[in-house]
Amino acid sequence: MPPPKKAAKKAAKKPAKHHDPKHHETKDLRRAYEHLGRVELLQNAGQVDADVSVLATLAQKELKAGHVKEAADLLRAAEHLSFAALGSERSKSSAVAADLKATITEEFDHLLERAEEHWAQGNEGDRHAAVVSLYKRVCKRAKKALDEKSYRPALELAHAAEALAHVRKHGADQLPSGKEHLKLGRS
C-alpha cells in the first residue's frame, strides 16, 4: 500500500492590490477610454444619437475635472444607448423561446432594481440635471421596449439606466445642461 500523499503547502497570500485608490482611478480611466472608443466606432458608423452626444460631453467635462469614475459610467451609459438604438432597428424580427424570454425578463428586472437602488442612495440634487432627465427617459424607454418584445434594446436600455444611476456630481453643478453636442473623433 502506497504511503498517503502529503498535503500541498499553502501559498503565501499576497495582499490585494485593489485596495489602492490609484488602482481604481487607473481602472476607471481605462474603462472610460474603452467605452469612448466603442461609442466613437458606433458614431462613425452612422449611429448618432443626441443623448449619446450629451453623455459624451458630460463625460469629457468630468474627465477634465478629474472625476474618472463618473466619466466611465457616463460613457458606459452612452455605449449602451448606442447599442439600444442599433438593436431597435433589428430586434423585432427574431422570435425568442419562452425560457430565454423568462431569463431576459429576469435580468431586465434585476438591472432596473439595481438602478433604482443606486438611484435611491442619493437625491436629484446630487446629480446633473441632464443625467436626471435622461435616467427617467431611459427607464421609460426600457420598459416600453420590453413591453414591445424588443428584448435586446430593452436590456441595453436597462444597462444604460444602471450606469446612469452611479453618476454623481461633485460640488456645484459645474457641468452644462448637456445641450451642447459633442462630435466624437478627431476634429
Short mmCIF file of all heavy atoms in Angstrom, two decimals, residues 17-56:
data_model
loop_
_atom_site.label_atom_id
_atom_site.label_comp_id
_atom_site.label_asym_id
_atom_site.label_seq_id
_atom_site.Cartn_x
_atom_site.Cartn_y
_atom_site.Cartn_z
N LYS A 17 -4.14 44.15 -4.30
CA LYS A 17 -3.70 45.44 -4.82
C LYS A 17 -4.87 46.38 -5.08
O LYS A 17 -4.69 47.54 -5.28
CB LYS A 17 -2.90 45.26 -6.11
CG LYS A 17 -1.59 44.56 -5.88
CD LYS A 17 -0.82 44.44 -7.17
CE LYS A 17 0.49 43.74 -6.95
NZ LYS A 17 1.27 43.63 -8.17
N HIS A 18 -6.08 45.83 -5.12
CA HIS A 18 -7.23 46.65 -5.48
C HIS A 18 -7.67 47.60 -4.37
O HIS A 18 -8.57 48.39 -4.57
CB HIS A 18 -8.40 45.76 -5.94
CG HIS A 18 -8.89 44.83 -4.88
ND1 HIS A 18 -8.31 43.62 -4.65
CD2 HIS A 18 -9.89 44.95 -3.99
CE1 HIS A 18 -8.94 43.01 -3.65
NE2 HIS A 18 -9.90 43.79 -3.24
N HIS A 19 -7.04 47.55 -3.21
CA HIS A 19 -7.41 48.48 -2.14
C HIS A 19 -6.77 49.85 -2.34
O HIS A 19 -7.13 50.80 -1.67
CB HIS A 19 -7.01 47.90 -0.78
CG HIS A 19 -7.80 46.68 -0.41
ND1 HIS A 19 -9.15 46.72 -0.16
CD2 HIS A 19 -7.43 45.39 -0.28
CE1 HIS A 19 -9.58 45.51 0.12
NE2 HIS A 19 -8.57 44.68 0.05
N ASP A 20 -5.84 49.93 -3.24
CA ASP A 20 -5.16 51.18 -3.52
C ASP A 20 -6.09 52.07 -4.35
O ASP A 20 -6.52 51.68 -5.43
CB ASP A 20 -3.86 50.90 -4.28
CG ASP A 20 -3.08 52.15 -4.62
OD1 ASP A 20 -3.36 53.20 -4.02
OD2 ASP A 20 -2.17 52.05 -5.47
N PRO A 21 -6.41 53.28 -3.89
CA PRO A 21 -7.31 54.16 -4.65
C PRO A 21 -6.77 54.48 -6.04
O PRO A 21 -7.55 54.69 -6.97
CB PRO A 21 -7.39 55.43 -3.81
CG PRO A 21 -6.75 55.13 -2.51
CD PRO A 21 -5.97 53.87 -2.64
N LYS A 22 -5.47 54.50 -6.20
CA LYS A 22 -4.87 54.78 -7.50
C LYS A 22 -5.23 53.68 -8.49
O LYS A 22 -5.42 53.93 -9.67
CB LYS A 22 -3.35 54.89 -7.34
CG LYS A 22 -2.68 55.66 -8.40
CD LYS A 22 -3.05 57.13 -8.29
CE LYS A 22 -2.14 57.96 -9.15
NZ LYS A 22 -2.76 59.18 -9.57
N HIS A 23 -5.35 52.43 -7.99
CA HIS A 23 -5.74 51.30 -8.84
C HIS A 23 -7.13 51.53 -9.41
O HIS A 23 -7.36 51.32 -10.60
CB HIS A 23 -5.69 50.00 -8.04
CG HIS A 23 -6.28 48.83 -8.76
ND1 HIS A 23 -5.60 48.17 -9.76
CD2 HIS A 23 -7.48 48.23 -8.66
CE1 HIS A 23 -6.36 47.20 -10.23
NE2 HIS A 23 -7.50 47.21 -9.59
N HIS A 24 -8.05 51.97 -8.58
CA HIS A 24 -9.42 52.20 -9.04
C HIS A 24 -9.46 53.32 -10.07
O HIS A 24 -10.16 53.24 -11.07
CB HIS A 24 -10.35 52.55 -7.86
CG HIS A 24 -10.62 51.39 -6.96
ND1 HIS A 24 -11.31 50.28 -7.37
CD2 HIS A 24 -10.29 51.17 -5.66
CE1 HIS A 24 -11.39 49.42 -6.38
NE2 HIS A 24 -10.77 49.94 -5.33
N GLU A 25 -8.70 54.37 -9.82
CA GLU A 25 -8.67 55.50 -10.75
C GLU A 25 -8.10 55.07 -12.10
O GLU A 25 -8.64 55.44 -13.15
CB GLU A 25 -7.83 56.64 -10.16
CG GLU A 25 -7.90 57.91 -10.98
CD GLU A 25 -7.18 59.05 -10.31
OE1 GLU A 25 -7.33 59.22 -9.09
OE2 GLU A 25 -6.47 59.78 -11.03
N THR A 26 -7.06 54.28 -12.08
CA THR A 26 -6.46 53.78 -13.32
C THR A 26 -7.43 52.88 -14.07
O THR A 26 -7.58 52.99 -15.28
CB THR A 26 -5.15 53.01 -13.01
OG1 THR A 26 -4.28 53.89 -12.30
CG2 THR A 26 -4.47 52.53 -14.27
N LYS A 27 -8.11 52.03 -13.32
CA LYS A 27 -9.10 51.13 -13.93
C LYS A 27 -10.24 51.94 -14.56
O LYS A 27 -10.68 51.66 -15.68
CB LYS A 27 -9.65 50.17 -12.87
CG LYS A 27 -10.71 49.24 -13.39
CD LYS A 27 -11.26 48.38 -12.27
CE LYS A 27 -12.46 47.60 -12.76
NZ LYS A 27 -13.16 46.94 -11.66
N ASP A 28 -10.73 52.95 -13.85
CA ASP A 28 -11.81 53.78 -14.36
C ASP A 28 -11.38 54.57 -15.59
O ASP A 28 -12.17 54.74 -16.53
CB ASP A 28 -12.33 54.73 -13.28
CG ASP A 28 -13.08 54.00 -12.18
OD1 ASP A 28 -13.66 52.93 -12.47
OD2 ASP A 28 -13.10 54.50 -11.04
N LEU A 29 -10.14 55.02 -15.61
CA LEU A 29 -9.63 55.74 -16.77
C LEU A 29 -9.56 54.82 -17.98
O LEU A 29 -9.96 55.18 -19.08
CB LEU A 29 -8.25 56.33 -16.47
CG LEU A 29 -7.67 57.26 -17.52
CD1 LEU A 29 -8.59 58.44 -17.77
CD2 LEU A 29 -6.30 57.76 -17.07
N ARG A 30 -9.11 53.58 -17.76
CA ARG A 30 -9.09 52.59 -18.85
C ARG A 30 -10.51 52.29 -19.33
O ARG A 30 -10.77 52.22 -20.53
CB ARG A 30 -8.40 51.31 -18.39
CG ARG A 30 -8.38 50.22 -19.49
CD ARG A 30 -8.05 48.84 -18.95
NE ARG A 30 -8.71 48.45 -17.72
CZ ARG A 30 -9.97 48.01 -17.64
NH1 ARG A 30 -10.73 47.93 -18.71
NH2 ARG A 30 -10.48 47.64 -16.48
N ARG A 31 -11.44 52.15 -18.39
CA ARG A 31 -12.84 51.89 -18.76
C ARG A 31 -13.38 53.03 -19.60
O ARG A 31 -14.06 52.79 -20.62
CB ARG A 31 -13.71 51.73 -17.50
CG ARG A 31 -13.54 50.43 -16.77
CD ARG A 31 -14.41 50.34 -15.50
NE ARG A 31 -15.77 50.78 -15.75
CZ ARG A 31 -16.42 51.67 -15.00
NH1 ARG A 31 -15.86 52.23 -13.95
NH2 ARG A 31 -17.66 52.01 -15.29
N ALA A 32 -13.12 54.25 -19.18
CA ALA A 32 -13.59 55.42 -19.94
C ALA A 32 -13.03 55.39 -21.35
O ALA A 32 -13.76 55.63 -22.33
CB ALA A 32 -13.20 56.72 -19.23
N TYR A 33 -11.76 55.08 -21.49
CA TYR A 33 -11.11 55.01 -22.80
C TYR A 33 -11.77 53.94 -23.67
O TYR A 33 -12.06 54.18 -24.85
CB TYR A 33 -9.62 54.70 -22.60
CG TYR A 33 -8.85 54.47 -23.87
CD1 TYR A 33 -8.47 55.55 -24.67
CD2 TYR A 33 -8.52 53.19 -24.29
CE1 TYR A 33 -7.76 55.33 -25.85
CE2 TYR A 33 -7.82 52.96 -25.46
CZ TYR A 33 -7.44 54.05 -26.23
OH TYR A 33 -6.76 53.83 -27.39
N GLU A 34 -12.01 52.77 -23.10
CA GLU A 34 -12.63 51.68 -23.87
C GLU A 34 -14.06 52.02 -24.30
O GLU A 34 -14.44 51.79 -25.45
CB GLU A 34 -12.63 50.39 -23.05
CG GLU A 34 -11.26 49.79 -22.85
CD GLU A 34 -11.28 48.57 -21.95
OE1 GLU A 34 -12.35 48.21 -21.41
OE2 GLU A 34 -10.20 47.96 -21.78
N HIS A 35 -14.84 52.57 -23.37
CA HIS A 35 -16.22 52.93 -23.71
C HIS A 35 -16.25 54.03 -24.77
O HIS A 35 -17.05 53.97 -25.71
CB HIS A 35 -17.00 53.37 -22.47
CG HIS A 35 -17.26 52.27 -21.50
ND1 HIS A 35 -17.93 51.11 -21.82
CD2 HIS A 35 -16.94 52.15 -20.18
CE1 HIS A 35 -18.01 50.33 -20.77
NE2 HIS A 35 -17.41 50.94 -19.76
N LEU A 36 -15.38 55.02 -24.62
CA LEU A 36 -15.32 56.11 -25.61
C LEU A 36 -14.96 55.55 -26.98
O LEU A 36 -15.56 55.95 -27.98
CB LEU A 36 -14.32 57.18 -25.18
CG LEU A 36 -14.17 58.36 -26.15
CD1 LEU A 36 -15.50 59.08 -26.33
CD2 LEU A 36 -13.10 59.32 -25.65
N GLY A 37 -14.04 54.62 -27.03
CA GLY A 37 -13.66 54.02 -28.31
C GLY A 37 -14.83 53.33 -28.99
O GLY A 37 -15.05 53.48 -30.20
N ARG A 38 -15.61 52.59 -28.21
CA ARG A 38 -16.77 51.90 -28.80
C ARG A 38 -17.84 52.89 -29.23
O ARG A 38 -18.47 52.73 -30.28
CB ARG A 38 -17.30 50.86 -27.82
CG ARG A 38 -16.35 49.66 -27.68
CD ARG A 38 -16.96 48.54 -26.87
NE ARG A 38 -16.99 48.78 -25.45
CZ ARG A 38 -16.06 48.42 -24.58
NH1 ARG A 38 -14.98 47.80 -24.99
NH2 ARG A 38 -16.20 48.68 -23.30
N VAL A 39 -18.05 53.94 -28.44
CA VAL A 39 -19.04 54.97 -28.80
C VAL A 39 -18.60 55.67 -30.08
O VAL A 39 -19.42 55.91 -30.98
CB VAL A 39 -19.25 55.97 -27.65
CG1 VAL A 39 -20.05 57.17 -28.10
CG2 VAL A 39 -19.94 55.29 -26.47
N GLU A 40 -17.31 55.98 -30.20
CA GLU A 40 -16.80 56.62 -31.42
C GLU A 40 -17.01 55.73 -32.63
O GLU A 40 -17.42 56.20 -33.68
CB GLU A 40 -15.31 56.95 -31.26
CG GLU A 40 -15.04 58.15 -30.40
CD GLU A 40 -13.55 58.41 -30.21
OE1 GLU A 40 -12.73 57.47 -30.37
OE2 GLU A 40 -13.20 59.55 -29.87
N LEU A 41 -16.74 54.43 -32.48
CA LEU A 41 -16.95 53.50 -33.60
C LEU A 41 -18.41 53.48 -34.03
O LEU A 41 -18.71 53.52 -35.23
CB LEU A 41 -16.51 52.09 -33.21
CG LEU A 41 -15.02 51.83 -33.13
CD1 LEU A 41 -14.74 50.45 -32.54
CD2 LEU A 41 -14.39 51.95 -34.51
N LEU A 42 -19.30 53.42 -33.07
CA LEU A 42 -20.73 53.41 -33.40
C LEU A 42 -21.15 54.71 -34.03
O LEU A 42 -21.95 54.73 -34.98
CB LEU A 42 -21.55 53.13 -32.14
CG LEU A 42 -21.45 51.70 -31.61
CD1 LEU A 42 -21.98 51.61 -30.20
CD2 LEU A 42 -22.18 50.75 -32.54
N GLN A 43 -20.63 55.83 -33.53
CA GLN A 43 -20.99 57.12 -34.09
C GLN A 43 -20.43 57.28 -35.50
O GLN A 43 -21.11 57.79 -36.38
CB GLN A 43 -20.52 58.25 -33.18
CG GLN A 43 -21.39 59.47 -33.33
CD GLN A 43 -21.07 60.55 -32.33
OE1 GLN A 43 -19.91 60.84 -32.09
NE2 GLN A 43 -22.09 61.15 -31.76
N ASN A 44 -19.20 56.81 -35.71
CA ASN A 44 -18.60 56.89 -37.05
C ASN A 44 -19.33 55.99 -38.04
O ASN A 44 -19.29 56.23 -39.24
CB ASN A 44 -17.11 56.54 -36.99
CG ASN A 44 -16.30 57.61 -36.30
OD1 ASN A 44 -16.72 58.76 -36.21
ND2 ASN A 44 -15.14 57.23 -35.81
N ALA A 45 -19.98 54.95 -37.53
CA ALA A 45 -20.75 54.05 -38.39
C ALA A 45 -22.14 54.60 -38.67
O ALA A 45 -22.98 53.92 -39.26
CB ALA A 45 -20.85 52.67 -37.74
N GLY A 46 -22.41 55.82 -38.22
CA GLY A 46 -23.70 56.44 -38.51
C GLY A 46 -24.71 56.31 -37.39
O GLY A 46 -25.86 56.70 -37.55
N GLN A 47 -24.32 55.75 -36.26
CA GLN A 47 -25.23 55.57 -35.14
C GLN A 47 -25.14 56.78 -34.21
O GLN A 47 -24.61 56.71 -33.12
CB GLN A 47 -24.89 54.27 -34.40
CG GLN A 47 -25.97 53.81 -33.46
CD GLN A 47 -27.29 53.63 -34.17
OE1 GLN A 47 -27.37 53.03 -35.23
NE2 GLN A 47 -28.34 54.17 -33.60
N VAL A 48 -25.63 57.94 -34.68
CA VAL A 48 -25.55 59.17 -33.91
C VAL A 48 -26.85 59.37 -33.15
O VAL A 48 -27.94 59.26 -33.70
CB VAL A 48 -25.27 60.38 -34.85
CG1 VAL A 48 -25.19 61.66 -34.05
CG2 VAL A 48 -24.01 60.15 -35.65
N ASP A 49 -26.73 59.66 -31.87
CA ASP A 49 -27.88 59.86 -31.00
C ASP A 49 -27.62 61.10 -30.15
O ASP A 49 -26.52 61.25 -29.61
CB ASP A 49 -28.05 58.60 -30.13
CG ASP A 49 -29.25 58.69 -29.23
OD1 ASP A 49 -29.11 59.26 -28.13
OD2 ASP A 49 -30.32 58.18 -29.60
N ALA A 50 -28.60 61.96 -30.02
CA ALA A 50 -28.43 63.20 -29.26
C ALA A 50 -28.08 62.91 -27.80
O ALA A 50 -27.22 63.58 -27.23
CB ALA A 50 -29.68 64.05 -29.35
N ASP A 51 -28.72 61.92 -27.21
CA ASP A 51 -28.43 61.59 -25.81
C ASP A 51 -27.00 61.09 -25.64
O ASP A 51 -26.35 61.38 -24.64
CB ASP A 51 -29.41 60.53 -25.29
CG ASP A 51 -30.82 61.08 -25.13
OD1 ASP A 51 -30.96 62.30 -24.92
OD2 ASP A 51 -31.77 60.28 -25.23
N VAL A 52 -26.51 60.35 -26.61
CA VAL A 52 -25.13 59.86 -26.57
C VAL A 52 -24.16 61.04 -26.61
O VAL A 52 -23.17 61.08 -25.87
CB VAL A 52 -24.85 58.86 -27.71
CG1 VAL A 52 -23.38 58.53 -27.82
CG2 VAL A 52 -25.67 57.59 -27.50
N SER A 53 -24.45 62.01 -27.45
CA SER A 53 -23.61 63.21 -27.53
C SER A 53 -23.62 63.98 -26.21
O SER A 53 -22.57 64.47 -25.77
CB SER A 53 -24.08 64.12 -28.66
OG SER A 53 -23.87 63.49 -29.90
N VAL A 54 -24.77 64.08 -25.58
CA VAL A 54 -24.87 64.76 -24.29
C VAL A 54 -24.01 64.03 -23.26
O VAL A 54 -23.23 64.65 -22.53
CB VAL A 54 -26.35 64.82 -23.81
CG1 VAL A 54 -26.43 65.23 -22.35
CG2 VAL A 54 -27.14 65.77 -24.69
N LEU A 55 -24.12 62.71 -23.22
CA LEU A 55 -23.34 61.94 -22.26
C LEU A 55 -21.84 62.04 -22.53
O LEU A 55 -21.04 62.14 -21.59
CB LEU A 55 -23.78 60.47 -22.27
CG LEU A 55 -25.18 60.21 -21.71
CD1 LEU A 55 -25.56 58.75 -21.89
CD2 LEU A 55 -25.27 60.62 -20.26
N ALA A 56 -21.46 62.05 -23.79
CA ALA A 56 -20.04 62.18 -24.13
C ALA A 56 -19.51 63.54 -23.72
O ALA A 56 -18.39 63.66 -23.21
CB ALA A 56 -19.83 61.94 -25.62
#
